[in-house]
Amino acid sequence: MNRRSFLTAAAAGLLTQAGALTTPTSPAGASASLAAAGSLALKGDPFTLGVASGDPSTDGFVLWTRLALDPLGGDGRGGMPSRDVDVDWQIAADERFGSVVRSGTATARAGAAHSVHVEVDGLEPGREYFYRFRSQGRLSPAGRTRTAPAGERSLAFAVAACAHYEHGYYTAYRRLAEEEPELVVFLGDYMYEYGPSGYTALAGRVRTHTPGKCATLADYRLRHAQYKSDPDLQLAHATAPWLVAFDDHEIENNWAGSVSSTGAPGFAGRRAHAFRAYYENMPLRRASLQGAVLRVNRRVSWGPLARFHLLDTRQFRDDQACLDGVRAGCDDRLDSGRTLLGPDQWSWLESGLRGSTARWNLLGQQIMMTQRDYKVGPGREVNLDSWDGYAPERTRLLGSLAATSNPVVLTGDAHMHHLADLKTDFDDPDAPVIAKELIASSIASDGDGYRDKAWIAEALSENPHISFIDQRRGYLMARLTPDELSVDYRTLDYISRRGARARTAHRVTIPSTAQARA
């Protein structure tokens, strides 16, 4: 069985210990080393939401699943009983599960929507592993994951963002999975909070959201379950470990710190519900739960080759200047006292950049960092929700990046591919380039893409530090070595129906310009 066969079988939930293909509900498909079913058996398959892994370290990772007999059950509990359920887990060195290296039992608690987060350690660095779960006679799909290496080794990784369920099918997730990345970096808008047709694409909606705009805990749980039920998304999770961080739509469009963008009352409670549901549905470590804060800014290293610095550009920011939006003439955005990262995260990031000994330093963050003028001709209009709305702090950050080994910024949110040069002075064509910003288009948000060559030419003319834009859906596939970062901008011609191929619309190679510090 080759890896492609494994992924196909894993996506269908059909892989068993012997390597045969059989239904996960069959007793023949269950490993004898897993615990027998309890006396209060579940009536149905509880693994309808798939499996996932995340945050790899040199000796482990996080394993995730969430039990749901009826993912779209109206109370958000997935049709599960109001009792805790034991879940067995296995990790094997081979896809046939002939060599099980770790196993145990976790408790899927009713109060946590029967989600399971297993933090595994004690494994070998830099190798591939396979995992699965079993509960009360039912076997989950199998997933593939890996530990980070201890030495310097190349890395193939994907970057993705923005997956509005109504706007199209998740073919881009399937194509991403088929490229077999070793790591997936997801930079926000994993799900959208709008009710049905609350945010429409030009071509209308292909699928329909669960009822109502998300406000309660049940609402957010249901929406996550709807998204997680998609087989293409499940395949992408089963292929590789993910690094995830939220943006705005996991909670509410353009929220900022404690401020609702709509001014609706009770935002603190709504945000708490959204945070809780996000943790329940993501392969995050328990350390991310810190009271009312959901900590997603963190560092993950890939040996001495790379360090990922994941940022949170929502939770600690000041409210957007000048009532938000794309505007001209907003002097408040130039106030040096305004912050996007917040003082604690700023100190954390500064310390991490200064102390990094990695050859490459990759900032994973949500919103466009480069200056982007949306007005054609004289004058300037900028998006105040992006880093343009917090320009002095951006200048300080770029100054810090200038002293960092091989900095690269990875970004989501824009729904279009971009490649940009980051400078401390974007208006000076001779200003030195501090770093490249690689902006991934959306998995599905805004529906079928297009390529308006005239519009793109105007945008590039207004922003000479941006060298590439593509309005089609897609993701980034990158290969990192000590000497270079090579990135393919992958695009799909349509997502309003299934089956589109992924193509490389643009390729960039960024050479290493600095050695890792000892």
Side-chain angles (χ1 to χ4, degrees), residues 465-476:
H465 52 283
I466 300 176
S467 57
F468 172 71
I469 297 176
D470 194 300
Q471 298 141 313
R472 290 171 289 190
R473 308 286 72 81
Y475 53 92
L476 307 182

Side-chain angles (χ1 to χ4, degrees), residues 242-427:
W242 284 40
L243 305 181
V244 299
F246 53 72
D247 189 17
D248 53 341
H249 288 290
E250 290 90 347
I251 293 88
E252 176 191 76
N253 179 48
N254 281 23
W255 67 283
S258 61
V259 180
S260 165
S261 62
T262 64
F267 180 68
R270 181 181 177 191
R271 191 180 77 164
H273 294 325
F275 281 175
R276 181 174 172 181
Y278 186 82
Y279 173 78
E280 290 171 349
N281 287 278
M282 293 293 160
L284 289 168
R285 296 182 183 273
R286 286 184 295 274
S288 61
L289 295 173
Q290 299 182 10
V293 169
L294 181 60
R295 183 75 64 177
V296 294
N297 60 294
R298 60 203 189 278
R299 283 184 279 271
V300 174
S301 292
W302 198 261
L305 177 68
R307 174 170 285 186
F308 290 88
H309 308 257
L310 272 75
L311 304 186
D312 179 343
T313 58
R314 287 288 161 193
Q315 194 171 182
F316 311 113
R317 68 156 73 187
D318 290 330
D319 194 12
Q320 295 93 342
C322 302
L323 301 178
D324 203 358
V326 176
R327 299 181 185 275
C330 177
D331 291 339
D332 286 351
R333 75 183 185 93
L334 305 177
D335 182 348
S336 62
R338 289 174 47 75
T339 181
L340 182 67
L341 299 178
D344 291 342
Q345 185 178 197
W346 174 266
S347 296
W348 167 86
L349 178 59
E350 282 275 272
S351 174
L353 292 174
R354 285 196 308 269
S356 175
T357 59
R359 186 179 298 269
W360 294 85
N361 285 274
L362 308 172
L363 266 69
Q365 55 101 51
Q366 294 73 37
I367 53 174
M368 193 176 290
M369 188 173 290
T370 192
Q371 179 175 283
R372 176 72 160 83
D373 182 3
Y374 289 84
K375 183 175 175 19
V376 176
R380 176 178 295 154
E381 293 179 348
V382 299
N383 180 3
L384 297 171
D385 185 59
S386 73
W387 279 93
D388 274 332
Y390 305 80
E393 186 168 79
R394 174 178 61 193
T395 300
R396 293 195 298 273
L397 174 55
L398 291 175
S400 296
L401 290 180
T404 303
S405 174
N406 290 319
V408 177
V409 176
L410 309 173
T411 302
D413 184 62
H415 302 181
M416 298 180 193
H417 285 319
H418 289 71
L419 172 62
D421 291 337
L422 294 175
K423 304 178 175 185
T424 53
D425 186 351
F426 290 99
D427 297 322

Side-chain angles (χ1 to χ4, degrees), residues 133-217:
F133 299 89
R134 183 174 181 267
S135 185
Q136 303 196 12
R138 306 283 177 155
L139 191 66
S140 79
R144 183 180 68 185
T145 190
R146 64 176 54 247
T147 51
E152 192 166 70
R153 214 173 75 181
S154 65
L155 168 64
F157 68 96
V159 181
C162 305
H164 197 301
Y165 183 86
E166 291 193 333
H167 289 181
Y169 294 108
Y170 285 167
T171 311
Y173 277 138
R174 180 163 292 271
R175 298 294 173 252
L176 181 158
E178 289 169 351
E179 302 200 43
E180 299 189 11
E182 297 170 287
L183 186 69
V184 176
V185 182
F186 193 88
L187 297 174
D189 294 346
Y190 183 94
M191 52 78 75
Y192 281 69
E193 83 286 11
Y194 297 107
S197 296
Y199 163 25
T200 57
L202 289 175
R205 71 187 189 193
V206 174
R207 307 187 281 191
T208 303
H209 269 160
T210 52
K213 184 177 181 179
C214 292
T216 68
L217 179 58

